[in-house]
Structure formats: C-alpha cells, structure tokens
Amino acid sequence: MRCRLTLVAGAVVILNLLDAIFTLCYTHSGVASESNPMMQVALAAHPVLFVLAKISLVSLGVLLLWRMRHVRAAAFGLIGTTAAYSLLLLYHLSAVPHLI
C-alpha cells in the first residue's frame, strides 16, 4: 500500500504542475481567469510567483498527507485529491480548442 500511495502522491504533484501550466495558458490568452483569490494575487504579481506558490502549497499538503498515510483519512485524502486533479486535467484538456 505504501508504494501505491507514493505513486498517488507523486501523481498529485505532477497533476498540480499541469494545472498550473494550463492555468497560465488560459489566463494569458484571456480564455479564463483564476478563481482562487490567493492564487489570483500571486498570478497578478508574476506568473513565476504563481507557479512557485501553487507548487509549494500543494506539495506541502501532499507531504503532510503522505506522512500521515497510516491514518485512513489521510490516505483517502491523497486518493481523493488525485481523483479531483485528474478530473480537472480532463476539464483543461476539453478547453484546449479555445486556445487555438
């Protein structure tokens, strides 16, 4: 189970990075706007700050859940977060034609 949760935790970090990239593409092209007020401030300041903040915050959350993986709720949290980011990636991919 530990190996699976390690892969799940890694998937969250990668999916979060993809979310950041898509968000930059969509906001830069005017197709969408950032809906998270905290990330909106970071994005308005500088795209690099946005990416660093997003990766840092989500990675810290993943690290906390992974370290608490022996607690059932934390393991479900990792799995649920992976599912949510997977759905978000599908949403991003469905909007790609608007970038073209």
Side-chain angles (χ1 to χ4, degrees):
M1 183 67 164
R2 180 181 177 179
C3 184
R4 288 184 196 154
L5 284 178
T6 302
L7 291 174
V8 168
V12 172
V13 173
I14 292 168
L15 290 167
N16 178 51
L17 177 60
L18 291 171
D19 176 41
I21 292 167
F22 276 112
T23 300
L24 289 175
C25 290
Y26 293 137
T27 56
H28 182 71
S29 66
V31 172
S33 60
E34 175 59 50
S35 59
N36 180 332
M38 187 170 74
M39 292 290 97
Q40 200 173 46
V41 170
L43 182 58
H46 198 279
V48 173
L49 178 62
F50 167 78
V51 172
L52 287 174
K54 184 164 179 49
I55 290 172
S56 298
L57 291 170
V58 171
S59 295
L60 285 172
V62 167
L63 179 61
L64 174 65
L65 290 173
W66 189 81
R67 291 193 65 175
M68 299 293 295
R69 67 191 175 279
H70 59 281
V71 177
R72 183 175 285 190
F76 283 131
L78 279 172
I79 293 166
T81 303
T82 303
Y85 267 108
S86 296
L87 291 173
L88 182 59
L89 179 62
L90 289 175
Y91 176 75
H92 280 309
L93 291 173
S94 73
V96 165
H98 296 287
L99 292 174
I100 300 172

